[in-house]
Amino acid sequence: MTDRVEAFDCHVHAGPADPGDPLASPPAEVLVRRLAAAGVSQAVIFAPNRRSGYRVANDEVLRIAAADPARWVPFLRMRSARPHPFGRRRRWLLRLGVDASFGADDYPASELATLLGSGGFRGVKLNLAADGMPPGDVLDLLARDGVPVLLHAGEGIDRREVEAEFLGRGIPTILAHMGTYPLRRREAEGWLALLEKHPCAYTDTAAVFFGHVLQDACRRFPTRVLFGTDAPAFDPTVGRAAIDALDMDDVARERILRGNLRELLARCPGEVRT
């Protein structure tokens, strides 16, 4: 490569975390420096996991993005009352005889439509095992408006439900971590097989450290792999180095580092500044 491509990271946590969370995000200016060291000039940002819900954290994510809109693209997080049917947390709570519900939904579909329209958010980040499954009317809204969803894929998440509830509806769904989180390389093929079946399925490279898995995914799906780092939980320079080390031509590398994400967001409501 003659010049290093400035990357567009699809997977960055920002804003307030629960007290004592060791993976809490640093201030935005520190996050900028860490990403810049990896050659990342733009990023999708969203709140860290929040046991108490996401309204306050989402407001902070919007504030960060509004202060530097050319750099940050905000995604919304939300908790839902409906539990992920196959999640480890629900099975564990049921064995203890504890109510496995997640309380009330953070947002009704009507409010969510505003937040994803004129409200500034460009997509949604979901961790079904931690935050529950959105209700049917919310999922129908995401499908109708083509809202991109970055979906945690790995431990505690069942592919059957993801396929039925998200991909079956045609929701543009980024299957994070290639389904390998944490360090489960044997799970990758099952998740990547969903990209074979569903044109609306994408995946990201966040916290994927198996070179053969990254190489295979980029070779098979050069237009549907998105660069991600899972910063600040993981050092973004490590995630970038993993992509730079792959055997691919400059055109494919540019698509994965930024082009594929830009094209995905360009097909969705809102504006991405480049």
Side-chain angles (χ1 to χ4, degrees):
M1 299 177 65
T2 55
D3 296 306
R4 197 181 198 201
V5 174
E6 288 293 313
F8 192 168
D9 192 332
C10 80
H11 197 132
V12 173
H13 297 267
D18 284 330
D21 185 345
L23 302 180
S25 179
E29 60 272 18
V30 176
L31 191 58
V32 167
R33 289 200 300 270
R34 292 183 184 176
L35 291 169
V40 175
S41 58
Q42 290 180 280
V44 168
I45 55 171
F46 44 84
N49 291 336
R50 298 276 294 177
R51 292 186 296 273
S52 58
Y54 291 99
R55 280 186 171 269
V56 172
N58 284 332
D59 288 345
E60 178 63 12
V61 167
L62 276 183
R63 187 197 67 77
I64 293 169
D68 195 353
R71 182 181 303 276
W72 306 123
V73 176
F75 271 33
L76 175 143
R77 289 200 67 172
M78 59 185 173
R79 284 176 66 84
S80 300
R82 181 165 62 130
H84 177 43
F86 305 106
R88 174 184 291 183
R89 179 181 186 274
R90 182 170 185 258
R91 294 196 299 270
W92 176 69
L93 290 173
L94 288 173
R95 284 199 297 270
L96 294 178
V98 178
D99 181 7
S101 70
F102 288 82
D105 295 340
D106 274 346
Y107 302 100
S110 56
E111 184 180 4
L112 192 64
T114 300
L115 290 169
L116 293 168
S118 58
F121 288 103
R122 298 297 320 286
V124 172
K125 165 63 163 63
L126 293 173
N127 184 330
L128 303 179
D131 297 323
M133 170 65 72
D137 58 347
V138 166
L139 294 171
D140 290 342
L141 166 69
L142 299 176
R144 183 197 71 198
D145 293 347
V147 176
V149 173
L150 177 60
L151 184 68
H152 176 79
E155 188 175 60
I157 310 297
D158 191 279
R159 289 196 303 271
R160 295 169 297 173
E161 187 186 24
V162 169
E163 185 169 23
E165 298 278 23
F166 291 89
L167 303 178
R169 281 181 163 89
I171 297 171
T173 306
I174 306 163
L175 305 170
H177 316 296
M178 298 185 184
T180 67
Y181 193 92
L183 297 177
R184 292 171 174 251
R185 67 180 184 274
R186 293 182 179 85
E187 296 295 316
E189 181 51 43
W191 287 95
L192 293 176
L194 295 180
L195 275 69
E196 298 273 13
K197 296 175 61 177
H198 298 280
C200 62
Y202 299 78
T203 193
D204 78 15
T205 67
V208 183
F209 301 120
F210 304 108
H212 68 288
V213 172
L214 285 168
Q215 187 74 64
D216 180 57
C218 293
R219 177 186 58 80
R220 291 166 59 190
F221 309 105
T223 63
R224 285 191 281 154
V225 173
L226 311 179
F227 172 68
T229 65
D230 209 356
F234 293 91
D235 186 338
T237 61
V238 175
R240 176 61 187 263
I243 303 302
D244 287 345
L246 296 178
D247 180 18
M248 68 176 78
D249 62 40
D250 288 356
V251 173
R253 198 182 311 274
E254 189 278 336
R255 289 194 63 88
I256 288 161
L257 285 170
R258 65 185 182 190
N260 291 337
L261 178 56
R262 286 179 175 175
E263 289 184 11
L264 173 60
L265 292 173
R267 293 195 293 269
C268 303
E271 176 186 4
V272 174
R273 302 190 183 188
T274 60

